[in-house]
Amino acid sequence: MTAEILLVVLLVLFLIDTPIAVAIGAASVAAIACQGDFPLQMVIQRLFSGTDSFHLLAVPLFMFAGTIMEQGGISRRLIDFATALVGWLPGGMAAVAVVSAMFFAGISGSAAADTAAVGSILIPAMKKSGYRSDFAAAVQASGGSIGIIIPPSIPMIVFGFLTGASIGRLFTAGVLPGLLIGLSLIIVSSLISRRQGYGAQAPFSPAEVLRTGRRALLALGAPVIILGGILSGIFTATESAAVAVVYGLVVGMAVYRRIAPRDLPRLFITGSITAAIVMFIIACASVFSWIAAIEDIPVRMAAGLLALTDNRLLLLLSVNLVLLIAGTFVETTAALILLVPMIVALLPDLGIDLIHLGVIVVTNLAIGMLTPPMGICLIVSSSISGDRLAAICRRIVPFLLVLLVDLAIITYWPPLTMALVGMLR
């Protein structure tokens, strides 16, 4: 009955809106207490051992790097460059929102940070330019979801930690899918903007592209250093996160001069609080995954899916449906730790590479960030724009549909994900 108690208590706590980490931890404690084979002191031990990983050190470091670079004026320069590149399209500011989010995705590794950093500037600007507030928030939320697909990506780091997959290869595999998603969102936003009568932001000017590109050169250098250092073997993913923090501090304090020494304590506190929330979820989820492994829950759930169908294409579809539903109701990090063991157990029957599977999993959870009640990108955009969540949800539907098409392409056309990995291997 241990497995049943674990899952039932977790479901009940979710239904009564218990915080994610508390729900997972409480369900695990209830299951251990009912089983009786282990002392409750094991919970404390597993909380610490679940986060005692060199790989997971990259999570708070990348989140802190995003905070530093946002404060250091990097967001503004990226937005100016994006405006010069795509501001001439119909609804130019909507396209700028997506491209800016793609640029910042190469720095932060977090969809929430991506949405907040770019949205805090562009959503008010779009509203002043005559865009509907709920449309501006929907565009920014959909663009922000790219933050966990284009490397660096915190969920990819967690996936690599759970499965032993190479984080460098996961980062490489996310590049082309991230570009596909960004391009498709630009097309959708431009089509909607044309229908709504939103005009271009500015005429295309090669001189302006060069000027803003030069101003954004140091900002664009961050993702190049992060990904280039990993792929060249100069440093690991965790070391690249530390390099990103130092780079952001140097650029923000010495070059752009937007960060003063007196700002550092506040930045450290903000970064620590944000990282602590994620790490607490990981710690509690590690207890859950430990008791689930003891009870063989992942294998049993995998066997349940296999009992439905042994067709590889339908099995991949089933995995996507499970992940999409989970991403709607469960926070991204928790969903990874809860579901990845089950999905990896299906890997031989799925007939795909582990790296490809990682990108599929992360893409599903990125879509989950645009669906209530756990759609963090929607929540962040809503808080910036001041719109009700229901109003933004109506506007997000076209973007969700195109993301589902992108997910199907990523799932069933492996070369999109694996081509760069194969070239660099």
Side-chain angles (χ1 to χ4, degrees):
M1 292 293 292
T2 304
E4 288 77 5
I5 291 171
L6 182 70
L7 297 176
V8 169
V9 172
L10 180 67
L11 181 60
V12 169
L13 291 175
F14 279 168
L15 290 176
I16 62 175
D17 205 24
T18 306
I20 295 293
V22 176
I24 294 172
S28 304
V29 170
I32 292 173
C34 291
Q35 187 193 52
D37 293 339
F38 300 97
L40 288 178
Q41 291 91 326
M42 287 293 296
V43 175
I44 305 300
Q45 179 183 340
R46 296 304 307 180
L47 283 172
F48 280 93
S49 63
T51 54
D52 184 18
S53 167
F54 180 71
H55 295 302
L56 289 181
L57 184 59
V59 174
L61 287 174
F62 273 127
M63 298 183 81
F64 186 43
T67 301
I68 291 171
M69 293 184 186
E70 178 187 356
Q71 179 70 26
I74 286 177
S75 302
R76 181 71 262 179
R77 285 167 171 79
L78 292 176
I79 289 172
D80 290 343
F81 183 45
T83 302
L85 286 175
V86 297
W88 53 272
L89 291 170
M93 292 193 75
V96 169
V98 177
V99 174
S100 300
M102 293 171 69
F103 284 151
F104 202 80
I107 297 172
S108 69
S110 164
D114 196 338
T115 305
V118 180
S120 60
I121 298 173
L122 277 179
I123 290 177
M126 292 174 73
K127 291 167 66 174
K128 287 181 181 178
S129 298
Y131 288 75
R132 284 183 59 116
S133 180
D134 51 3
F135 173 72
V139 170
Q140 195 59 70
S142 60
S145 67
I146 305 175
I148 63 170
I149 300 173
I150 292 178
S153 164
I154 290 172
M156 286 184 182
I157 294 170
V158 176
F159 183 89
F161 164 71
L162 293 171
T163 64
S166 165
I167 295 174
R169 289 181 180 177
L170 285 168
F171 283 1
T172 307
V175 173
L176 293 181
L179 294 176
L180 169 69
I181 290 173
L183 179 60
S184 63
L185 291 177
I186 291 171
I187 292 172
V188 171
S189 63
S190 296
L191 291 175
I192 295 174
S193 296
R194 183 190 294 273
R195 191 172 68 239
Q196 297 293 329
Y198 302 137
Q201 173 68 9
F204 180 74
S205 168
E208 184 67 9
V209 172
L210 291 174
R211 186 187 70 82
T212 56
R214 281 196 298 268
R215 291 187 72 241
L217 197 59
L218 289 176
L220 294 170
V224 174
I225 291 172
I226 292 169
L227 190 57
I230 295 172
L231 298 181
S232 63
I234 297 175
F235 38 69
T236 66
T238 303
E239 291 164 348
S240 76
V243 169
V245 170
V246 175
Y247 183 86
L249 285 173
V250 171
V251 172
M253 297 181 72
V255 181
Y256 295 159
R257 300 184 184 276
R258 292 287 300 274
I259 300 176
R262 65 176 179 275
D263 297 325
L264 291 179
R266 176 177 56 82
L267 289 176
F268 276 103
I269 291 171
T270 302
S272 299
I273 292 173
T274 305
I277 295 171
V278 176
M279 296 306 291
F280 183 51
I281 294 172
I282 292 175
C284 292
S286 69
V287 182
F288 185 98
S289 61
W290 172 68
I291 192 70
I294 291 174
E295 294 300 316
D296 216 19
I297 293 176
V299 175
R300 288 158 61 184
M301 293 177 69
L305 276 180
L306 286 172
L308 297 176
T309 178
D310 58 358
N311 182 284
R312 173 180 166 274
L313 299 181
L314 292 178
L315 200 56
L316 280 168
L317 177 62
S318 301
V319 168
N320 280 328
L321 290 175
V322 169
L323 287 166
L324 287 171
I325 294 170
T328 299
F329 296 101
V330 184
E331 193 273 338
T332 301
T333 305
L336 282 167
I337 296 178
L338 298 179
L339 294 176
V340 163
M342 176 201 75
I343 297 170
V344 170
L346 289 168
L347 192 61
D349 299 280
L350 294 174
I352 59 176
D353 189 274
L354 180 61
I355 302 298
H356 185 196
L357 177 63
V359 176
I360 293 172
V361 170
V362 172
T363 304
N364 273 284
L365 297 179
I367 296 173
M369 292 181 168
L370 300 177
T371 53
M374 287 302 298
I376 185 64
C377 292
L378 280 183
I379 294 169
V380 172
S381 283
S382 173
S383 65
I384 296 172
S385 69
D387 293 289
R388 292 174 58 249
L389 207 59
I392 302 175
C393 288
R394 288 193 294 270
R395 290 286 179 172
I396 205 76
V397 171
F399 299 99
L400 281 175
L401 292 176
V402 77
L403 285 172
L404 291 174
V405 173
D406 292 336
L407 174 62
I409 296 171
I410 293 167
T411 300
Y412 294 111
W413 190 40
L416 177 69
T417 302
M418 301 303 296
L420 283 181
V421 179
M423 290 170 60
L424 293 171
R425 186 175 294 170

